[in-house]
């Protein structure tokens, strides 16, 4: 059960609601976000929710049968959209496109890619400066130094930035430069990081775990929301299966399931979702046809020279073709 | 290496080619299909294929680095199309739609569904009379009796028939009624069945195994082809993964990989691919966007009363909507 | 619900039982095996089973909550043992060991391996003459010719034979030579083959599917049992997962689960279960420690020259060491 | 290539080695641990390692073909053992047993379990105070308060403590109380945490990821080692597969593979590995038979009342029986 609390409620009235809920056999968790205040009530009692709805200070009350609550589509009419500022939004009628290199490598690389995005009216650039790598001897990113010129290149072009944050202690240093904090597939269940991002005033892009279930992804989103941050974008990026003909199995079913179960925007990462350059465009189109609200993919001036993920990265020509195809498809669906 | 042999070649010339190939260190398998004659040569020697190409009786010769040969896209220009007769084709510019019930249940059921298909210009009807079921106590299909009225309903409307064959001994009895023999996901590696279908003069629809790799699917197609039957359609129908939010994980990547690796037509089964009615349409569209040559799905007058697979079966209204969406999408891609 | 029928029951009494069960809302399937006669009753009604137990002709009646019935451990006290004749049994106090080559290759090979088994008191020899192979161009076994000298080598040494049968039509030709029919991992859900083996008077070794669930394995065993054959041995042989460090993931949990859920004997195939020679012994011991009733593994005079599966096949020295280790472990558990 | 550097080497000599390696086309990473100093050299050049071995200051040099280096078994003779102090060791001839509750819940609970361990000479107690939970509304552990009485109960009985650390910032606060830092399955690729633990003077227990490959586990161990900490224990705890008959699939193959590929000690967690109380003992024995150096399992005075993981937790009687069985098995292997 989710209870929406009226704004600026006096503490005594709030306590009265909490007390009443407790009396009815529910354990309640208070949640205050940038958009409102909620009580999440967990319990097994069968109650008439009008008993709660009529209490002073209650704006609305919703029965939610899912185990996850605030991110469930069962209580919110319509879909949420997430604003990155400057009129850039994920969710809604327009398809949100995000592109950029796997790793930020140099000023020149960033400038060239930002030019490419600007030319094609892509409003969000991706790029990693803290890179989770399986091997400790692999390139781990340029860190804050890279972040700074990445920021400059985007700021002057009006492009918003999404980049991966690997632990709570990095949030503060990245904060001035980032418009959308990405939680990578290895950190989907890094609950301390999720809690910290929930207390942060910027939106979060939450990737599905490498073999994470859809339910786990929604629970992880619930962590962020219940810690205070409603601005969450979910991302399907392929799961680990027995198939070895490609890198990951893009789970197009998940797009449908997520759009059905949650009000949050859902985007697709076809680059990781299939992991082979020639197939990225096809998977991107499939995701859009299945209802994705956006697509995030990797692009690089010379993919074969990229410091990471080159085999799944598009060059500018392929990227331009993909942008046109996606926009065309979205316009006719 | 694939050697295409000229038609009506005298036996002496054929022997000379086989002998030459053996001398070069290759083991050869002769293959004669409805469309031509081939020698499949397996070996590790590095040779100049022009040595073979210049032999009398050789029409063409192709180096094929894949382990599967005849179904590989590396030797055949363009894509193959499979004809079911009466102008009905799978592969090519038009999207091939196939629909029908999981199980053939009654004359009335079949007539109503055939009417629905006819009304929407669907030219191929699916329906099982031999049903592979996990439990021996479940409904196992009406057998040949069902096949007969299924055939009558389709014949009078000019609709072609695809139905599942479970073992080699059923081919003969089903033969008069069937236009496309389906090999189900549990039989993808039933090699005796594949061999027998390879010797049969009707096309084969080969479903991917429940956890079959893409490579295994192509090898299974190679069984059919090398036994003499080139008319093969491949079908992605979802794979088994850890995710339990739906029945199978539709592998949209496989559509792209298969279209890249083979010249055979590739279709999608979104009904089994996701297994939940509300999501079937979205997955069908995704498959078409990813390049599928056709879609096969389950439809029933009252899905909730179907004897099998009701939870993933569309009703007529949903089916009509899906047909329109697929045709619209295909027309704009 | 399983109703055990008294032997030699007059048809009128049998009909009365069937009628009564129907009246109570159950659908019943009659089963007659080499050991007895049963009625399998499927239905949702809540009944007092004493109503059935007191009917004339009913020997016993059991409520079985599992979906599979006859193979369930819920109705049979203790574990079943399967006799291969000549005093050779699978199930019971002694560990059953079975070994032999992947493929029968030559008389000399068979004689040498049979000698090795005899020397170490191994009573069951495995070896394939019909080989399911992913590629149509791979070695597919010597067929009946191989079967004959395989039979001779074993007969004169008092060794029993287990070999794979790939389709129903092979049962008859193999019948004179085989003591235990193996259903391979690609045929676990070949229901026509299971039905045919259920009507056959020799025991069946049923391997788990390549990605078959434990429940599916039990359902497949139910096919054999309900068609009339109680002599079934189950075999865990590794499942397909994302891990690529070895061939299959041996599912040691399945040994525990199967021993808990069914009364049938359960054996382990560590050769396929891990697929790498150096690890076979360790996995065999693990399976025995987890409660397996037997072990089947691959042995060859020169594994590196084997026509199939050489990488997971033991030589005689390794085999001898493993036999000693297994027997020692079993004796102290 | 791993170069072992002599102790107390003057900086000039170290530079000369680094320079020489660079000249040969290798990139080197210096590593200094509690036990020694190494240069990890990554490169593709083919060199005669004696060129390096003869340099002043080089104690030894090893070619390591694995991608992971310091944790590879290819350079170290024999197996490493990890000391927890007070004579308690993991790795070596004796089997290491660790037991305790999933979550630390109360002083009374901890005292009773510690008594049980002491009575059976178990020297290491597990118990979580920071609990990673899928849902933000589930019990997340008692935190440092719980840690303090957990510590007291163990200290006075001479029992060593293993507990999970979820992020780098918790290391310092947990440090005084912990003898072995556990990295949980959701954090196996939390590289910042691994780096931080590599700089810490206490041993690390590294669990395999929920769907982590064996190679990824070894890379994660390489993170810890290369950051300066050699005292690492690996733990197989089950992987995520399609099977739903139990919680996770205990990968007994991994025990064999890890013992082959690395010199680090390898233990098994049968509680998470199968997730069902009745099967825990069987899986524990299987792991020991496969070569595990230790077993960690969950025990609670009343598992059915446990705040987490009750369904896979043993009671004292089951725990006592398991301890005896494991010790007996180890003694006869």
């Amino acid at each position: 059960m989710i209870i929406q609390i009226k704004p600026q409620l006096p503490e005594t009235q709030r306590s009265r609601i909490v007390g009443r809920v407790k009396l009815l056999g529910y354990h309640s968790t208070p949640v205050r976000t940038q958009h409102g205040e909620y009580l999440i009530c967990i319990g097994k009692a069968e109650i008439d929710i009008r008993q709660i709805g009529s209490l002073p200070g209650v704006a609305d009350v919703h029965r939610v049968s899912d185990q996850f609550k605030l991110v469930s589509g069962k209580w919110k009419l319509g879909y949420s959209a997430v604003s990155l500022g400057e009129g850039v939004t994920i969710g809604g009628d327009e398809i949100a496109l995000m592109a950029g290199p796997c790793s930020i490598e140099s000023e020149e690389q960033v400038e060239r890619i930002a030019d490419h995005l600007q030319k094609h009216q892509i409003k969000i650039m991706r790029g990693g400066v803290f890179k989770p790598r399986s091997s400790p001897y692999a390139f781990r990113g340029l860190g804050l130094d890279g972040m700074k010129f990445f920021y400059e290149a985007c700021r002057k072009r009006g492009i918003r930035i999404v980049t991966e944050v690997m632990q709570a202690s990095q949030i503060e240093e990245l904060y001035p430069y980032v418009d959308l904090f990405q939680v990578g597939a290895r950190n989907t269940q890094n609950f301390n990081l999720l809690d910290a991002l929930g207390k942060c005033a910027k939106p979060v892009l939450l990737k599905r775990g490498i073999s994470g279930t859809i339910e786990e992804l929604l629970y992880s989103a619930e962590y962020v929301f219940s810690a205070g941050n409603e601005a969450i974008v979910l991302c399907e990026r392929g799961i680990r299966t027995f198939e070895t003909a490609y890198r990951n199995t893009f789970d197009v079913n998940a797009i449908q399931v997520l759009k059905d179960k949650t009000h949050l925007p859902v985007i697709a990462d076809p680059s990781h979702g299939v992991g082979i350059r020639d197939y990225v465009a096809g998977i991107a189109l499939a995701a859009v046809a299945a209802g994705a609200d956006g697509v995030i993919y990797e692009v690089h001036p010379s993919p074969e020279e990229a410091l990471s993920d080159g085999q799944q990265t598009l060059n500018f020509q392929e990227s331009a073709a993909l942008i046109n195809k996606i926009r065309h498809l979205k316009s006719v669906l």
Side-chain angles (χ1 to χ4, degrees), chain A:
Chain A
M1 185 170 58
I2 298 174
I3 302 171
Q4 288 182 274
I5 305 288
K6 286 188 180 154
Q8 268 103 40
L9 197 70
E11 187 47 41
T12 52
Q13 284 198 19
R14 186 182 294 103
S15 303
R16 203 175 308 155
I17 302 172
V18 170
R20 183 60 173 275
V21 163
K22 194 174 176 183
L23 219 63
L24 290 166
Y26 279 75
H27 175 80
S28 68
T29 306
V31 170
R32 189 193 298 264
T33 74
Q34 61 271 62
H35 298 311
E37 200 180 332
Y38 313 85
L39 271 185
I40 309 309
C41 306
I42 312 277
K44 286 174 184 167
E46 287 290 326
I47 62 165
D48 180 345
I49 63 170
R50 287 171 302 184
Q51 286 181 279
I52 304 292
S54 60
L55 291 177
V58 169
D60 208 346
V61 57
H62 316 268
R63 208 188 290 273
V64 178
S65 55
D66 294 322
Q67 290 296 306
F68 41 88
K69 303 291 177 191
L70 290 158
V71 304
S72 169
K74 296 224 167 94
W75 72 276
K76 219 179 166 183
L77 291 178
Y79 288 108
S80 302
V82 168
S83 167
L84 307 193
E86 311 235 342
V88 178
T89 295
I90 303 171
D93 293 338
E94 219 178 314
I95 193 95
L97 295 182
M98 301 160 232
C102 175
S103 300
I104 297 299
E105 296 170 359
S106 68
E107 281 196 63
E108 195 218 333
Q109 174 226 36
V110 168
E111 292 286 337
R112 291 187 60 192
I113 297 174
D115 273 347
H116 170 73
L117 301 190
Q118 191 176 27
K119 182 177 162 195
H120 295 280
Q121 291 90 47
I122 304 289
K123 299 286 182 35
I124 310 169
M125 181 163 166
R126 62 152 288 155
V129 297
F130 295 115
K131 298 298 304 172
R133 301 302 296 275
S134 296
S135 164
Y137 309 121
F139 173 63
R140 299 204 220 169
L142 295 181
L144 220 55
D145 291 342
M147 196 65 235
K148 286 173 187 167
F149 61 74
F150 180 16
Y151 173 76
E152 283 309 319
C154 289
R155 195 194 49 75
K156 68 188 180 200
R157 292 174 177 89
I159 293 175
R160 311 306 281 168
I161 285 181
V162 53
T163 201
E164 178 162 356
V165 55
M166 284 174 68
Q167 65 176 356
S169 64
Q170 290 168 345
I171 296 175
E172 199 177 328
E173 51 180 345
L174 285 173
Y175 196 87
Y177 311 109
V178 174
D179 303 297
L180 177 61
F181 279 109
Q182 176 183 319
V183 176
R186 290 174 186 80
N187 278 314
T188 312
Q189 292 198 308
N190 182 335
F191 302 121
N192 298 81
L193 177 59
L194 299 177
D195 264 339
L197 287 167
K199 297 189 179 85
C200 152
K202 290 198 172 168
V204 175
L205 173 63
L206 189 55
K207 290 203 161 188
R208 183 179 182 184
I210 287 178
S211 320
T213 65
I214 292 172
E215 189 179 74
E216 286 172 347
L217 177 61
L218 289 167
Y219 270 133
S220 290
E222 187 87 9
Y223 261 91
V224 178
F225 200 137
S226 69
N229 190 349
E230 298 197 13
I232 305 165
V233 179
L234 302 178
C235 181
E236 162 59 31
R237 45 78 72 201
I239 54 173
R240 188 168 273 178
T241 68
F242 61 84
E243 180 61 70
T244 57
Y246 42 70
R247 185 175 180 188
N248 292 300
T249 301
F250 184 78
D251 182 4
V252 72
N253 289 2
I255 304 284
Q256 284 274 307
V257 176
L258 287 169
K259 290 301 291 180
D260 184 34
K261 301 263 186 221
T262 178
H263 55 84
L264 300 175
V266 177
I267 69 166
D269 174 352
S271 303
H272 290 85
V274 65
I276 297 172
R277 191 181 312 160
D278 286 351
Y279 306 146
V280 168
I283 302 310
L285 296 175
V288 173
D293 295 300
V295 174
I296 185 168
Y297 66 92
E298 294 180 341
V299 62
H300 191 283
S302 354
E304 50 292 335
E305 292 166 27
L307 292 182
S308 51
D309 276 358
Q311 79 292 344
Q312 70 190 29
T313 299
L314 305 187
N315 62 32
F316 289 160
Q317 201 178 346
E318 294 160 335
S319 169
L322 175 58
I323 294 165
N324 287 336
K325 281 184 190 167
I326 291 177
R327 287 187 175 142
H328 172 64
L329 176 60
K330 180 71 183 177
S331 73
V332 299
L333 277 177

